[in-house]
Amino acid sequence: MECNKLLKKIGISVLPMSSISSIISIVIIWFFLNRMGRLDIFNESVSFKNMFNILVFSFIINMAFFLIIFFMGSWLLSLFIPAENKHFIYYDNIKNNLITILMVSGFFIPIIIALSVFIFDDPSSVFHIIILSSFFILVVSISIVSYFMNKEILNQELRIKSNTIKNKYKFRIYLLIPFFISVLSYSQIIPISLFSDSMKFSDLMGDTYQVIGFVAISYAFYIVTMFPGVVFIRMNNGEKLVKKVTVPIALAFAIMLVMSYFITVIPVMFVHSVMKLSGISDFTPHTYLVDEKQYPQNLFDKGVWISWKVEDTGKIAIRAVSIFSFGEFQLMCPSEITKAYKESWKFIPGNTDYDNKVRKALQEDAEWCIAFNKEDIKRWNVPISYQEINSATDR
């Protein structure tokens, strides 16, 4: 009976996991093909479930990577600011003061970037100087603020302690933690840099309003990505470890879903990473061979495709990118589609009309893509220059 019960438990636990894997894979495939405007091959693609495990593995790896990068400040926060101090009665007051300083300090770096845009003609040429000098100013400023906010509480806590203990905690709260808070404030540069190049503003907005918009979005991003870390260090020490770990991670996941509505490039970047890591998509142009009888050269419009006959072989060579390769199908697109694909990453925060516009432009280019059976197309790894390609297409 015990063996049967164990098998039943395993069966119950395995079945939902396999279903979840299938659902995750189908959603990713649908999202990608829908964005490309090529749902015509969706049904055939999802019938090859042997690839789902690879796709789900890629999904898990990329999800972990995105959560680490986007919520880097939160994870570091839990290391830099202790959740509790058994030696201090009023440590919660000190902790709350440090959290307040942390939240306000996140406004500093967007302001510095904004000011550098107005002051310097080419801020990138003095970027390192700006970062180092402003970092030093921020550390000193936070140290001073921390001193005045925590001085009374700390003196009360340390009044009967030895000088060694006093100096230890004063150094930690007045200097070391302010230094770490400054590091956390500047750590937002890394995740913001992932989508800042894709972010645009309406042409109706002047330069000043665009800079203000960037500052507001950067600071809002900083605040919400700090929430999981703040929740973690404010949880009671009596809470179970599982809860203390799962709650911040679940909160981070929920925040990322909400942010995806306003910063629409986030799900695009995520699916792109999943597709590349799993090997389903390859955005590097390569040369491929197809049989001329099955795919005559006039099928490849010369204004869109780079194609030429390979003499005495009965083959047509095409220059293309493998946008989607799953199951028996390989969706090949003209190499120029990469420009439209990169352009489709751009977004105006909260402007769905612009998102639809760039996605429609991508879908129009994707109409030239051809879904090949994998057995009908072979990658030709012989290196060939663009001069040779041009001379071949002229014939």
Side-chain angles (χ1 to χ4, degrees):
M1 290 295 293
E2 292 182 0
C3 183
N4 290 335
K5 289 181 179 179
L6 180 61
L7 289 173
K8 286 181 180 180
K9 287 182 179 179
I10 294 174
I12 291 172
S13 62
V14 170
L15 181 60
M17 284 304 298
S18 62
S19 301
I20 291 171
S21 298
S22 299
I23 292 170
I24 291 174
S25 301
I26 290 171
V27 168
I28 293 172
I29 293 171
W30 182 91
F31 181 91
F32 184 81
L33 290 178
N34 179 62
R35 186 170 181 81
M36 297 295 299
R38 293 306 303 259
L39 287 176
D40 53 302
I41 61 172
F42 174 72
N43 290 334
E44 291 83 357
S45 299
V46 298
S47 63
F48 298 95
K49 296 183 178 180
N50 58 321
M51 288 285 292
F52 281 4
N53 290 336
I54 297 175
L55 196 57
V56 171
F57 177 76
S58 177
F59 172 87
I60 294 171
I61 295 297
N62 279 281
M63 179 57 69
F65 174 77
F66 270 66
L67 289 176
I68 290 172
I69 294 298
F70 277 81
F71 296 90
M72 180 184 300
S74 276
W75 314 137
L76 293 176
L77 171 61
S78 61
L79 298 176
F80 293 160
I81 300 181
E84 67 167 12
N85 189 316
K86 295 180 180 179
H87 304 291
F88 285 7
I89 299 174
Y90 302 106
Y91 176 72
D92 282 348
N93 294 338
I94 295 176
K95 181 173 66 176
N96 290 334
N97 288 339
L98 293 174
I99 291 173
T100 301
I101 295 172
L102 171 73
M103 291 303 190
V104 175
S105 66
F107 196 62
F108 184 77
I109 180 62
I111 289 293
I112 290 297
I113 294 175
L115 290 176
S116 65
V117 170
F118 286 110
I119 296 173
F120 300 99
D121 294 331
D122 184 15
S124 60
S125 62
V126 290
F127 177 77
H128 294 92
I129 298 174
I130 294 172
I131 292 296
L132 292 175
S133 58
S134 60
F135 181 81
F136 175 77
I137 294 171
L138 184 60
V139 172
V140 173
S141 301
I142 293 177
S143 296
I144 295 172
V145 173
S146 178
Y147 173 78
F148 284 108
M149 290 184 72
N150 297 308
K151 178 183 177 182
E152 185 177 342
I153 303 172
L154 200 58
N155 286 340
Q156 185 178 354
E157 295 282 4
L158 297 175
R159 67 181 186 278
I160 59 173
K161 305 291 184 180
S162 66
N163 288 333
T164 302
I165 298 297
K166 287 181 181 179
N167 293 333
K168 172 186 174 182
Y169 281 104
K170 286 182 179 179
F171 172 76
R172 180 179 297 176
I173 294 174
Y174 295 154
L175 291 175
L176 188 60
I177 292 181
F179 173 81
F180 287 146
I181 289 176
S182 300
V183 172
L184 290 175
S185 300
Y186 274 74
S187 68
Q188 66 178 301
I189 295 176
I190 296 175
I192 289 175
S193 66
L194 294 178
F195 63 81
S196 60
D197 288 342
S198 300
M199 186 165 58
K200 294 185 64 178
F201 293 95
S202 173
D203 295 333
L204 300 176
M205 296 177 64
D207 292 343
T208 302
Y209 288 106
Q210 289 186 21
V211 171
I212 293 173
F214 171 78
V215 171
I217 291 171
S218 298
Y219 184 59
F221 178 86
Y222 174 81
I223 292 294
V224 297
T225 54
M226 281 296 177
F227 277 168
V230 172
V231 168
F232 177 82
I233 65 174
R234 279 186 169 171
M235 293 179 75
N236 295 327
N237 192 48
E239 299 284 358
K240 293 182 179 180
L241 180 61
V242 174
K243 182 178 179 180
K244 295 184 73 173
V245 172
T246 54
V247 169
I249 292 177
L251 181 59
F253 186 76
I255 289 172
M256 182 171 286
L257 288 178
V258 174
M259 284 196 304
S260 297
Y261 176 78
F262 299 97
I263 307 175
T264 54
V265 74
I266 291 177
V268 176
M269 286 168 38
F270 177 74
V271 172
H272 173 83
S273 299
V274 172
M275 302 298 272
K276 285 200 68 175
L277 182 62
S278 61
I280 293 175
S281 296
D282 180 8
F283 294 88
T284 304
H286 295 289
T287 303
Y288 296 87
L289 296 177
V290 295
D291 190 273
E292 186 178 4
K293 292 181 180 179
Q294 286 183 284
Y295 304 96
Q297 190 173 8
N298 56 16
L299 181 67
F300 306 98
D301 189 292
K302 286 190 175 181
V304 180
W305 289 88
I306 298 176
S307 65
W308 66 97
K309 290 183 179 181
V310 182
E311 295 180 1
D312 301 326
T313 63
K315 302 290 184 182
I316 298 293
I318 59 172
R319 192 72 176 170
V321 290
S322 179
I323 290 290
F324 182 81
S325 178
F326 200 82
E328 294 181 0
F329 292 92
Q330 192 161 356
L331 186 63
M332 307 301 298
C333 300
S335 55
E336 290 296 310
I337 199 176
T338 54
K339 295 180 181 179
Y341 184 75
K342 291 177 181 177
E343 191 70 19
S344 71
W345 284 38
K346 294 182 179 179
F347 70 100
I348 297 177
N351 191 330
T352 55
D353 291 336
Y354 183 81
D355 294 335
N356 293 332
K357 178 182 175 182
V358 295
R359 186 165 62 246
K360 185 177 179 181
L362 172 63
Q363 292 175 354
E364 288 176 355
D365 283 2
E367 290 178 358
W368 292 101
C369 300
I370 300 175
F372 290 91
N373 189 299
K374 283 186 177 180
E375 295 180 356
D376 296 337
I377 187 166
K378 304 295 180 184
R379 182 170 159 181
W380 191 22
N381 291 316
V382 177
I384 184 169
S385 67
Y386 277 99
Q387 288 78 11
E388 291 175 299
I389 291 175
N390 290 332
S391 63
T393 54
D394 291 337
R395 289 198 290 269

